[in-house]
Amino acid sequence: MHSPSSCPPPLTVSRTALCTGAVCAALSAVLLSLVAAGWAPLASLDRSVAVALHRSAVAEPGVVRVNRVLTDWVWDPWTMRTLIAVAVAALWWRGARLPAVWAAVTTVVAALLQQGMKAAVGRERPRWPDPVDTAQYAAFPSGHAMTATVVCGLLLWLLRPAGAGSALWGASVAAAVVSVAGVSFTRLYLGVHWLSDVLGGLLLGAAVVAFSVAAFSLFTRRPGRPVPGAPGPVGAAPPS
């Protein structure tokens, strides 16, 4: 278990998380503006990446099948939400009610933000004469990329105070990175998203997690409101 001295000062936690969230939010706002304006260099990059990956996908049906399994089952948004629901239930059962509710609310807020932005932007997905996969609803931001980022970020944040050793922590970080990068690639390879859709999902997801961590730190570390085992900042390895 962590000793109290191993926890970063609350001011450090909130500052780091707030700075991270602000940077990601600002970048996502810039990207959104460029997408909405139809900025030619970005549109050209999106098209170039999409065409190159689609050409490869059409020529490799076996690879397409693997990517469809990964995107539709392993890293599907509902699979990710199931993981966070299990974590929330476990925390609730152990008596860590506030972190459980915080994680659940953050996940719901992220989903609502994602769907609201899709509706507001209304961006069309790539269209192909020979598609290898299909997807519904608007393109920006990528729901798969954003959900994976939010869920993996929250799970790492929740894992930190659970007494995980360095080996488990390292494996968890690696699994999170592979999941987020992997699902992002599948959406591009299957031709259902533009590169900027995926980048937007990653940035928005990171911003949501960072702001949630900052708010939790400020709320729980106030004098007179101690929360035993409250998670620290995402990405900091627990002491061995």
Side-chain angles (χ1 to χ4, degrees), residues 35 42-43 46 117-125 137-140 194-198:
V35 167
L42 179 61
D46 278 338
M117 188 162 291
K118 280 180 177 287
V121 177
R123 190 186 199 187
E124 290 191 1
R125 295 177 184 267
Y137 208 38
F140 187 93
W194 306 107
L195 175 62
S196 52
D197 299 335
V198 171

Side-chain angles (χ1 to χ4, degrees), residues 39-118:
W39 192 49
L42 179 61
S44 177
L45 175 62
D46 278 338
R47 188 68 186 174
S48 297
V49 172
V51 168
L53 289 175
H54 181 69
R55 185 181 299 120
S56 174
V58 169
E60 298 289 348
V63 179
V64 168
R65 284 193 291 271
V66 171
N67 276 271
R68 291 190 66 174
V69 170
L70 291 173
T71 202
D72 292 339
W73 296 98
V74 179
W75 294 318
D76 180 77
W78 285 108
T79 302
M80 294 286 105
R81 291 169 187 143
T82 299
L83 289 177
I84 203 69
V86 170
V88 165
L91 286 169
W92 190 273
W93 180 75
R94 293 176 58 187
R97 304 291 171 84
L98 182 58
V101 171
W102 207 277
V105 170
T106 300
T107 305
V108 172
V109 168
L112 293 175
L113 175 62
Q114 168 205 311
Q115 294 301 318
M117 188 162 291
K118 280 180 177 287

Side-chain angles (χ1 to χ4, degrees), residues 28 36 61 63 114 133 150 156 178-179 239:
S28 65
V63 179
Q114 168 205 311
D133 198 5
V150 169
L156 289 176
V178 168
S179 296

Side-chain angles (χ1 to χ4, degrees), residues 13-14 16-22 24-25 28 84 102-111 113 145-159 169 176 180 200-218 231-236:
V13 174
S14 58
T16 301
L18 280 172
C19 287
T20 301
C24 291
S28 65
I84 203 69
W102 207 277
V105 170
T106 300
T107 305
V108 172
V109 168
L113 175 62
M146 183 172 177
T147 303
T149 302
V150 169
V151 170
C152 289
L154 288 175
L155 289 177
L156 289 176
W157 173 64
L158 293 171
L159 178 64
W169 177 257
V180 173
L202 296 175
L203 289 170
L204 283 168
V208 168
V209 173
F211 284 139
S212 178
V213 169
F216 186 90
S217 177
L218 291 172
V234 174

